[in-house]
Amino acid sequence: MELKIHNNLSRKKETFAPIEAGKVRFYSCGPTTYDFIHVGNGRALVVGDLFHRVMKFLGYQVTFVRNFTDVDDKIIERANENKEDPIKLAARFVDECLKDMDSLGMLPATHTPKVSDTMPEIIRMIEEIITNGAGYVIDGEVFFNVEKAIDYGKLSKKDLDGLQAGQRAEVDKRKKHSSDFVLWKPAKAGEPFWESPWGKGRPGWHIECSAMAKKFLGETLDIHHGGVDLMFPHHENEIAQSEAANKKTFCNCWAHHEFLNFGSEKMSKSLGNVVTTRAFIEKFGGQVLRQLLLSVHYRARIDWTDEVIERATQDVKRIHEFAVELQGLAGTAVATDAAAMSEVKAFMQSFTEELANDFNSAGALGQFFSFIRFVRRDVIGKAASVELVAAVKEAVEKSKLALGHIAHDPAAILAALETNKGSGDVDETWIQSMIEQRKTAKATKDWKRADEIRDELKAKNIVLLDNKDGSITWKMQ
Ligand code: AMP
Ligand code: ZN
């Protein structure tokens, strides 16, 4: 079946046509590992996994690359606070992230490169950019000159004049254009560094994805994914770099998922309103988070509310009760019910159509719930033939490969849902509301109330951290 994807280069849904028939070169921007990932990052991972699974389900052979950013300012800052080696700190959180991915029922990517393992390729690519006239060096720092890019802004639909006019922050006077960005920067004292033709330093953020994509997928990709926040400048700069270095189109199809929001704001570490994927998994289980994320189309926003969590929990329960019922199901009747057999076929057809329609996991799940109703009504407890039962089981198995919505051991999921009920774990929504109240109290100089809130949380072993940027985060004592 033909796959249609909303391509952000054209802002249109297009028929997907990979460079090589039957094979897909797929890249997805992975997390920066300086802490546990939050459920918004979890969305990025699950959407990448959805694309990967669906393309395989549709018969493509997929080479899937998802990176880990393990060299970054935030990592260095956190490592300095902890008095820990930055690369070791990042490696620790890569391991934690891999555990979360496992709980989220994700298929492994084909390659999961880290920046620290990709330095030779990164340096080589910067050299190519300089050789091709799009990069320049000032005092051991290498910049990309956006004026030399072919069609800069073609993804985000921005133009250089508009960008220059909109520049608010102080611009580095050494740059040729205010939108020029860093490819390589010199290391400051105490920072990790690598040797390069421009001295000891480390790469800017954007170049890692260009270099990793080239290393594992070649010069032109079929599809590239990330959150909408990455479209500009990250993805725009990836295109500029790769096309300057390779003189080839970097990627034919760009797909971006929408935010997961907390209240009216994007969930993000810098805003201090995060729910970590780990805390959620410990309380509700990874399958519930997966279900929650898949039940909304990737291009629609998700608002993080108790109702959304409750609905996902009920859905997981329904799906896994059904999976357990199926395990015990055996065919008995001799004659095959042709009408029921064609119902199974029709389900597979509409389920596939939904997924082939821009990875509509929400629509596919809707089809699956209708299928559960049909099987309960017309197959389970009826004199069903061996053939019909086999067809039902096969359809469920196939859908499981496409969505990962059914765990390997459904009975264990149901047991976990029972134990999680009223487990008295920390209520992150409540903590966030307390943090909001504390912010208001501080803003209105109501110090007594601000202290009361702090103490109330402390009594539950929750410590608030007032960060330098004004955000408030929390941790368990
Ligand atoms: P980062 O670790 O910030 O580089 O982000 C890793 C991935 O998570 C990127 O694809 C981001 O776009 C995505 N991401 C970050 N915050 C959110 C959010 N609140 N909702 C959805 N995706 C997010
Ligand atoms: Zn990237």
Side-chain angles (χ1 to χ4, degrees), residues 29-34 38-45 69 74 205 225-230 257-261 266-269:
C29 292
T32 308
T33 48
Y34 65 103
H38 60 68
V39 289
N41 306 133
R43 184 173 202 192
L45 298 177
T69 302
K74 284 178 274 196
W205 171 31
H225 156 252
V228 275
D229 56 330
L230 300 188
H257 69 267
E258 253 299 342
F259 283 149
L260 186 148
N261 281 359
K266 172 197 167 191
M267 186 176 284
S268 96
K269 293 202 190 90

Side-chain angles (χ1 to χ4, degrees), residues 27-30 67 69 205-206 208-210 224-225 230 234-235 238:
Y27 189 94
S28 177
C29 292
N67 67 311
T69 302
W205 171 31
H206 315 297
E208 68 184 69
C209 291
S210 287
H224 193 311
H225 156 252
L230 300 188
H234 184 53
H235 290 163
E238 279 186 36

Side-chain angles (χ1 to χ4, degrees), residues 150 154 239-251:
I150 312 150
K154 66 179 164 192
I239 296 175
Q241 297 163 153
S242 293
E243 298 193 349
N246 306 330
K247 297 187 175 293
K248 296 257 173 65
T249 299
F250 175 47
C251 178

Side-chain angles (χ1 to χ4, degrees), residues 15 52 54 82 94 107 112 175 178 202 253 264 277 282 328 347 381 399 438 476:
T15 300
H52 184 200
V54 169
N82 289 2
V94 166
L107 292 183
T112 49
K175 294 203 290 190
S178 58
R202 63 192 161 97
C253 176
S264 58
T277 300
E282 281 170 0
F347 156 65
S399 74
R438 187 155 190 276
M476 297 303 293

Side-chain angles (χ1 to χ4, degrees), residues 336-347:
T336 293
D337 181 341
M341 282 299 278
S342 56
E343 280 271 356
V344 179
K345 248 199 198 147
F347 156 65

